Amino acid sequence: MNRHRRKTITFFSLTTFIALLAGATASCDVPPFAPEMSTPAIVTAAADASPDPAIAVGSDTPHRFRFDVALVDQGARELRSRILAQADRWARIVDGTDLEDIEWGPGTIGCGGLQYDHQYDVLDDVFVMVSVHDFSGGPGTGVKTSVCGYRESSKLPLVGAIILDVEGVPQGQVDDLILHAFGHMLGFGRSWRGLGLLHDSSRDTPGADTHFEGERAIAAFVAAGGANHLGARVPVENDPNGGTMDDHWRESVFGTELMSSGLRRGVADQLSAITIQSLADIGYTVDVEEADGFVLPAASNSSVRAEEGWHAIDLSDDVMAGPAVFYDRQGRVVRVLRN
């Protein structure tokens, strides 16, 4: 890894940026749309980030995990501090991880309908574009996440996109929504199948007892009160009605855990040791001390659904299907998987 590379933040005029979008080809093989945007900004979330998040962290210090976050529209820039704070929490959790650098020719990166003109020659560690707009056409809340580029060597994400719809989301839950979305940017739910850790897919076999077979996550599940769970461990969402199958923990078992398939009104969701250890199972070096305290609802005799209308945030179809492009170290496309 190049430990002496420094990044310079570059800003484009709106006219220049739109011209670049019109004439360039997306690098992640996803047909992009042209969202409304003004001058984009790329910022860095890293465990050793400088106080000014608009300045990329120098790399004269030993490697620390980093998200490079492109805020592609005004809505995202208005949430800048909150977006960076949640990305930074995940960066602290996986801070010991040094993912393979990928050589990358400057040009437009497209993913999940978003685009950014990336003028650097390396992607390290995960590049995420973020947009905030109303995609429901009216009152409604939710998030759409896409992971379009993966490392062939580790099957872990390289390029992703998050579109947030925060209209109507209680302020206390906005951070949970953002934190949930960045969990998917690390490969939660997305890298499981490619690594052979997702078993009995509900998309393949409706009604199956879908589960994640990572040893560390299973141990954490048992420690959180799952020893008496009657099904396979760790249970993954298999409800066909929610649009969240195979990519989240099973809500009927996990309740208020952050990476289950629903976030609640008036309740802080917990980022558990189970989720953190699942990242260790897919290849990250993790700090489990960053976990929130969490006990499975069945073990604590608490109700999973405290009230009617308990969802504060709609997570249905929050993980978008689309082509997954795998890159080697030289930035060459090795294969493309189309969902």
Side-chain angles (χ1 to χ4, degrees):
M1 161 174 188
N2 182 356
R3 299 182 185 274
H4 300 285
R5 173 171 52 86
R6 296 186 68 89
K7 291 174 117 177
T8 301
I9 304 303
T10 303
F11 298 91
F12 298 91
S13 70
L14 176 60
T15 302
T16 301
F17 185 69
I18 291 176
L20 285 167
L21 292 184
T25 301
S27 300
C28 283
D29 195 36
V30 178
F33 64 81
E36 293 182 6
M37 61 181 70
S38 55
T39 309
I42 184 169
V43 293
T44 297
D48 59 350
S50 73
D52 181 355
I55 305 299
V57 178
S59 52
D60 294 333
T61 57
H63 180 273
R64 313 298 293 270
F65 184 91
R66 63 191 293 150
F67 286 103
D68 282 341
V69 181
L71 306 175
V72 302
D73 54 27
Q74 183 60 31
R77 287 191 290 279
E78 290 175 358
L79 289 179
R80 167 180 168 151
S81 62
R82 302 182 80 164
I83 290 168
L84 290 182
Q86 304 316 310
D88 181 67
R89 183 173 182 193
W90 283 114
R92 293 196 308 271
I93 288 169
V94 298
D95 189 33
T97 307
D98 187 359
L99 295 180
E100 180 181 55
D101 287 0
I102 304 297
E103 296 178 14
W104 199 265
T108 301
I109 295 178
C111 181
L114 303 182
Q115 291 185 326
Y116 182 79
D117 190 69
H118 187 275
Q119 291 298 308
Y120 310 116
D121 58 3
V122 171
L123 287 181
D124 167 37
D125 292 292
V126 182
F127 177 76
V128 181
M129 292 170 282
V130 183
S131 170
V132 176
H133 69 259
D134 180 359
F135 54 73
S136 66
T141 62
V143 60
K144 303 295 183 187
T145 66
S146 302
V147 178
C148 304
Y150 294 81
R151 293 166 170 83
E152 175 64 20
S153 57
S154 63
K155 310 301 184 290
L156 294 179
L158 177 67
V159 173
I162 297 171
I163 302 176
L164 299 162
D165 179 1
V166 297
E167 182 68 27
V169 176
Q171 285 299 305
Q173 262 83 46
V174 171
D175 290 343
D176 283 351
L177 175 64
I178 298 169
L179 191 64
H180 178 99
F182 271 97
H184 288 306
M185 295 299 99
L186 291 173
F188 183 94
R190 307 309 295 141
S191 294
W192 293 352
R193 185 187 291 262
L195 292 168
L197 293 171
L198 180 72
H199 292 264
D200 297 327
S201 163
S202 291
R203 289 193 176 96
D204 294 342
T205 308
D209 186 10
T210 311
H211 58 284
F212 175 83
E213 283 194 350
E215 292 182 1
R216 294 176 179 87
I218 291 172
F221 178 77
V222 170
N228 295 324
H229 178 69
L230 298 178
R233 303 165 184 165
V234 176
V236 171
E237 189 58 73
N238 61 356
D239 183 349
N241 297 315
T244 58
M245 295 184 301
D246 290 1
D247 297 314
H248 301 82
W249 298 136
R250 194 176 305 168
E251 189 165 16
S252 61
V253 177
F254 277 82
T256 60
E257 211 282 339
L258 179 79
M259 299 308 295
S260 66
S261 55
L263 304 180
R264 271 135 221 83
R265 186 179 305 278
V267 177
D269 290 79
Q270 298 86 43
L271 200 173
S272 72
I274 308 168
T275 290
I276 292 177
Q277 293 290 30
S278 77
L279 295 179
D281 286 321
I282 67 175
Y284 289 96
T285 300
V286 303
D287 181 1
V288 75
E289 295 299 320
E290 289 282 342
D292 296 325
F294 176 75
V295 178
L296 291 162
S300 63
N301 296 316
S302 63
S303 172
V304 175
R305 302 191 178 194
E307 58 180 290
E308 193 67 27
W310 51 285
H311 276 159
I313 301 170
D314 179 11
L315 294 181
S316 60
D317 298 314
D318 70 319
V319 177
M320 303 299 291
V325 186
F326 290 79
Y327 296 89
D328 65 14
R329 189 183 187 94
Q330 287 72 44
R332 297 172 300 204
V333 175
V334 175
R335 59 196 173 102
V336 178
L337 297 181
R338 300 185 181 275
N339 294 330

